[in-house]
Amino acid sequence: MNIERIKEKLTELFTLHRVVFWNDPEREFEEMLPSLGLDGPDGNDGINILRPEKIGQLKAKVVIEIERTGDKFLVYSPDAIPRPEDDWLLDVRLYSYQFFADSASMIVEDLGLRNHSLRDHISKRKKFFANKQRMAQLKK
């Protein structure tokens, strides 16, 4: 996946949302996270990257909803999306945006679809969606 495309999409999402969740259970993007350059020069001007598996879900919730209510956060987790009954951040997750960076999800985003329920269907048909002319027609 193109790092510039991911950075562009995240920047676009943060114009609309204060908190964006990114679950990466395959850990495909964990190493490139610092190279996205989302943090400002002093760490406070840009988007703050929170890692709940390192600081704890409760601490992440306190930071987002009490300590730094005016800041923007990318909540990155190398784990799958937790079940609702195990998710301490569920209320935050419900009012924020869930970002996916796999190719099928990026196609869903490019088509302007909000619901990611078609990810599996699109994933099985990547060759079909690789055609740029076809994608342009679908976007219309």
Side-chain angles (χ1 to χ4, degrees):
M1 182 58 56
N2 183 351
I3 190 170
E4 286 301 317
R5 186 165 177 215
I6 291 172
K7 184 177 179 178
E8 178 183 304
K9 187 63 185 174
L10 285 171
T11 303
E12 176 186 322
L13 287 172
F14 279 109
T15 61
L16 302 171
H17 305 280
R18 185 175 86 82
V19 181
V20 174
F21 281 82
W22 184 3
N23 290 77
D24 182 21
E26 289 84 32
R27 295 179 181 239
E28 293 178 70
F29 305 100
E30 187 172 20
E31 290 183 10
M32 69 166 240
L33 199 58
S35 62
L36 286 174
L38 296 174
D39 281 327
D42 61 359
N44 294 325
D45 296 339
I47 296 153
N48 301 285
I49 299 173
L50 279 182
R51 305 278 308 255
E53 83 282 1
K54 291 185 178 181
I55 65 170
Q57 289 190 27
L58 182 58
K59 176 64 176 173
K61 185 179 185 82
V62 169
V63 169
I64 293 169
E65 294 194 323
I66 297 173
E67 293 177 357
R68 297 167 70 187
T69 57
D71 292 357
K72 295 182 178 188
F73 295 96
L74 174 64
V75 183
Y76 177 87
S77 176
D79 303 316
I81 298 172
R83 297 179 319 173
E85 58 269 13
D86 297 330
D87 192 358
W88 286 60
L89 297 168
L90 180 62
D91 58 333
V92 179
R93 192 180 298 273
L94 290 173
Y95 72 72
S96 13
Y97 189 88
Q98 180 69 50
F99 174 72
F100 300 96
D102 59 278
S103 57
S105 297
M106 294 304 262
I107 291 170
V108 169
E109 293 286 335
D110 288 345
L111 292 174
L113 304 172
R114 177 85 169 129
N115 190 334
H116 282 262
S117 62
L118 293 174
R119 282 177 47 225
D120 292 334
H121 180 77
I122 290 172
S123 181
K124 294 175 185 172
R125 293 154 181 87
K126 288 181 186 177
K127 197 172 187 180
F128 175 85
F129 289 100
N131 183 308
K132 292 184 183 201
Q133 182 181 9
R134 190 174 295 133
M135 279 295 290
Q137 289 174 341
L138 286 171
K139 284 182 185 179
K140 288 181 186 178

